[in-house]
Amino acid sequence: MDAGQESVGVGIGEPGSNETQPLLGRQSPDASSGSSNASKQLSTRHAFAILVSLQIGSGIFASPAQVDSNVPSPGAALLVWALGGLLSWAGAASFAELGAALPLNGGMQEYLRHVYGDTMAFLMAWIYIMGVKPSSMAIQSIVIAESIGSISPASPLVDGWLVGIAALAFVSMVVLNSINTKLTLRLSESFTAVKITTVALIVVAGFVAVIAHLTNPNSSLSGARDWYSKNWFQTRPSASDGKIVDWTSISTWERYGHYSAAIYGAVWAYDGWDNANMVASEITNPGHALPKAIKAAMAVVLSCYELVNIAYYILLPWDRMSTSNAVAVEAAKSLLGKPAAVLITVLVAVSCAGSITSNVFSVGRLIMAAAQRHYLPGFLAKRGLSSSRGRRHEQDSTQSTSDAHHTDENASTTFDAPIFANLLSTIITLVYIATGSFRALLTFVGMAEWVFYVSTVLGLIILRRREPQLHRPYKPSLALPLMFVVVGTLVIVRSAVFAPVQSAVLAGLLVMGTGVSWLGR
C-alpha cells in the first residue's frame, strides 16, 4: 500500500487467540473456513469507485521525476505512464480472476499459499513487514520533507535537514496512529478527498496555462516555454542519480535499465490495483460487472495520470522535471508563485500522511499476526494498554462476566493500537529514511512488490492448467496474465542488474525470511 493504495484491512485474529489467520490480507466474512460467503452487495459503480480511490494516491506527486530522469523525452515519459497503466490493468484483471475463483481470507498471500505452499506465502508477508511497508513509508516521509524544503527560505535544504524533517513527519504520524484504531480509520478516510482534490487542482492549472497562452502568448500564466517551443519526442540528455545520461551514446542494455527504473516509478503510482480481488468476492454477477468496473477504473486512472503529467510538463521547464521529487510543489510555484506552492505543499503533505496512515495500520497488524504465529517475539502481538487491563480483569474473580466483557470492550476502543508492532516498524522505517534516497527506495519497493505480483499471476496460469474445473466467474483472456508475467519478469531481471544494492538487500531478506519461516515451524 504505497502510492495509491489506501485500504487498510488486515486479516488477523485478536492477540492471544488460537486463530491461524493469514499474515496479510482482508478479513473475509467467513474467515474460519477460508472461503467467503459474503453477500453480494457491490455494484459495478461501487467496484469502480473502490478501484479508483485505491490507486490515486501520493505517488503521482513524486514519481514523475523518477520516470522523467530515466527516459529520453517527455513523450517517452507519457508512453511509460501509459505502459504502467496497461500493466496495472492486466494485473488487476488477473487478480480479479483469482479473487472470484478463490475467495480466501488473505488475498495474494493465500493465492501464493494455494499454488506454491506455506513458505512462499510467509515470504511475501515477511518482505512486506521488513521491506515494502517501511520503504514505502520512508518514501512518503521523504516526499513530505522535500515538498517542505522546496518552499523554505533556505531552499534547497541540506540532506541532513531533509532527513530530520522526514523522520519527524513519520514519527508524528506513527504517534497519531498509535492512539486507537477508530482514529486511524477516520484519518485514512478523510485523506482520500484531499488527494483527489490535489490531482484535480494540478490538472486545472495545466488547462489554465494552455488557455492563457492561446489567449495571450506573453501571459505570465502560460507556464514554462518548453511545452510549446520544443518537440515532445525529441531526445535530450536527462539527469539520473546525479549523472547526465546521453541517450545518443548509451548501449541498448543501459537504455533498457533506465526504462525499467522508469516503469517502477510509474507502477508505484498506480499501486492499489491488486485489490481488485477484494471487489471480485463481493460484487454482484462478477463475470459481467467486474470487467466493466476494471476497464472503466483503469481508463479513468490512466487518463488522470496522463493529464497530471502533461500538466507538469506544461507548468515546469523540462530540465527541472528530473531534479525534484516535489514536482507538484514546483509546478504550482512556477505558475502562481509562493502562495500556491504553500497550498500544494500542504495538500501533498496531507496526501502522503494519508498513505503513511494506511501503511502504519496495516504493517502493525502484519507484525501482530507474525508474532501470533511465533515468527516474531510474542510481545509484538500486544495492543496498547488493553493487554494489561485484560489480565487485571481476568485476575479479579469477583467481577461479573458481563462487567468484564463491558470493560474489555472499552479497552478495545481506547489505546488499542499495536504499540510494540508500531515501534518495530518505526525503527525499520527510520533506518530506511536515514540510509536510502527516494529513488533507491522506489526501485527497491518496485522489485520487492513485483516479485510477488509476477509470482501470483504466474500462479493463475498454473491453476488454469492444474485445476481447469475450478469455477471462475470472471476469466479474462490468457493474453493479459501472459503479458503481465513476461513484461514484469523482464523488468525485475533488468532492474536487479541495474540496481545491485537493492537487489542484494532483497535477496538477503528473502534468504533471512526463509530461515525465519523454517524456525517458526
Side-chain angles (χ1 to χ4, degrees):
M1 301 175 191
D2 319 313
Q5 192 168 341
E6 295 302 317
S7 182
V8 294
V10 178
I12 62 172
E14 290 300 307
S17 71
N18 293 321
E19 296 180 38
T20 56
Q21 300 287 1
L23 299 187
L24 185 64
R26 287 175 177 73
Q27 186 74 24
S28 73
D30 187 12
S32 61
S33 65
S35 63
S36 175
N37 294 322
S39 59
K40 305 294 186 178
Q41 302 181 42
L42 299 181
S43 66
T44 302
R45 178 173 55 85
H46 293 138
F48 165 80
I50 289 171
L51 288 172
V52 170
S53 64
L54 285 172
Q55 290 182 84
I56 296 180
S58 58
I60 191 58
F61 308 128
S63 55
Q66 166 88 354
V67 175
D68 181 78
S69 65
N70 286 287
V71 294
S73 67
L78 296 178
L79 290 176
V80 166
W81 281 100
L83 176 60
L86 292 175
L87 276 176
S88 300
W89 171 46
S94 301
F95 270 57
E97 176 183 337
L98 286 168
L102 300 171
L104 301 172
N105 177 36
M108 179 163 56
Q109 178 192 344
E110 290 306 293
Y111 309 150
L112 292 169
R113 189 189 309 279
H114 186 84
V115 178
Y116 304 106
D118 289 334
T119 299
M120 188 67 167
F122 170 76
L123 280 178
M124 180 209 160
W126 169 262
I127 292 298
Y128 270 63
I129 290 172
M130 303 301 295
V132 171
K133 296 294 185 182
S135 294
S136 296
M137 292 187 288
I139 290 170
Q140 290 145 6
S141 302
I142 291 170
V143 172
I144 293 175
E146 295 201 358
S147 298
I148 294 173
S150 66
I151 62 168
S152 69
S155 181
L157 293 179
V158 297
D159 290 344
W161 276 102
L162 290 175
V163 169
I165 294 173
L168 179 62
F170 171 68
V171 171
S172 299
M173 291 308 302
V174 172
V175 171
L176 192 60
N177 285 281
S178 294
I179 298 174
N180 62 46
T181 301
K182 283 188 176 180
L183 177 60
T184 298
L185 294 176
R186 287 171 182 167
L187 286 172
S188 182
E189 292 171 358
S190 63
F191 288 142
T192 301
V194 175
K195 292 184 300 179
I196 296 175
T197 300
T198 308
V199 169
L201 287 175
I202 294 169
V203 173
V204 168
F207 276 116
V208 168
V210 172
I211 294 172
H213 173 73
L214 294 176
T215 305
N216 177 13
N218 297 320
S219 172
S220 60
L221 296 177
S222 61
R225 295 176 55 87
D226 291 348
W227 69 273
Y228 62 84
S229 63
K230 295 182 179 180
N231 184 342
W232 282 60
F233 287 91
Q234 183 176 356
T235 300
R236 74 339 182 200
S238 60
S240 178
D241 293 327
K243 301 177 182 178
I244 301 299
V245 180
D246 184 357
W247 292 90
T248 60
S249 61
I250 64 174
S251 66
T252 301
W253 181 247
E254 289 179 290
R255 186 182 294 262
Y256 176 29
H258 282 292
Y259 272 105
S260 297
I263 289 172
Y264 275 146
V267 296
W268 182 70
Y270 283 103
D271 203 18
W273 56 263
D274 52 305
N275 289 283
N277 59 332
M278 176 188 68
V279 176
S281 63
E282 298 187 29
I283 191 171
T284 303
N285 189 11
H288 172 72
L290 192 57
K292 293 172 59 178
I294 289 175
K295 290 175 183 178
M298 294 310 305
V300 168
V301 175
L302 195 156
S303 299
C304 285
Y305 281 8
E306 289 287 321
L307 289 172
V308 170
N309 278 278
I310 290 172
Y312 287 148
Y313 283 112
I314 290 172
L315 299 172
L316 281 175
W318 289 354
D319 59 357
R320 287 171 58 187
M321 273 290 293
S322 61
T323 59
S324 173
N325 295 322
V327 178
V329 177
E330 293 286 347
K333 185 163 60 175
S334 68
L335 182 67
L336 298 173
K338 195 69 170 287
V342 172
L343 173 62
I344 294 296
T345 297
V346 172
L347 293 176
V348 168
V350 172
S351 298
C352 290
S355 296
I356 293 172
T357 291
S358 298
N359 281 307
V360 168
F361 185 96
S362 59
V363 75
R365 273 68 184 174
L366 282 173
I367 293 171
M368 288 172 62
Q372 291 169 23
R373 289 194 173 192
H374 309 293
Y375 291 124
L376 294 174
F379 71 88
L380 292 172
K382 294 181 180 179
R383 289 179 182 265
L385 302 178
S386 61
S387 295
S388 61
R389 290 175 67 179
R391 283 195 300 271
R392 285 200 301 270
H393 296 310
E394 288 172 6
Q395 295 167 359
D396 187 354
S397 59
T398 62
Q399 186 176 30
S400 68
T401 303
S402 60
D403 289 342
H405 175 75
H406 176 72
T407 309
D408 287 340
E409 189 176 87
N410 290 337
S412 68
T413 58
T414 53
F415 303 108
D416 65 339
I419 301 296
F420 297 106
N422 285 355
L423 180 60
L424 175 61
S425 66
T426 298
I427 293 171
I428 298 172
T429 303
L430 289 175
V431 171
Y432 283 124
I433 290 174
T435 59
S437 68
F438 172 89
R439 300 184 190 190
L441 289 171
L442 191 57
T443 301
F444 172 70
V445 170
M447 281 194 292
E449 287 187 319
W450 276 73
V451 164
F452 294 105
Y453 288 160
V454 170
S455 298
T456 303
V457 177
L458 179 62
L460 177 151
I461 298 172
I462 293 172
L463 283 181
R464 284 197 181 185
R465 183 174 181 83
R466 193 175 79 189
E467 301 180 29
Q469 77 287 353
L470 187 66
H471 177 59
R472 294 173 171 86
Y474 171 54
K475 186 178 180 181
S477 167
L478 184 61
L480 288 179
L482 282 175
M483 179 190 75
F484 186 89
V485 169
V486 171
V487 176
T489 301
L490 290 174
V491 171
I492 291 169
V493 171
R494 182 59 188 96
S495 295
V497 176
F498 194 67
V501 175
Q502 291 95 316
S503 59
V505 171
L506 177 58
L509 286 174
L510 288 170
V511 171
M512 188 185 305
T514 303
V516 171
S517 176
W518 283 100
L519 287 173
R521 295 180 190 179

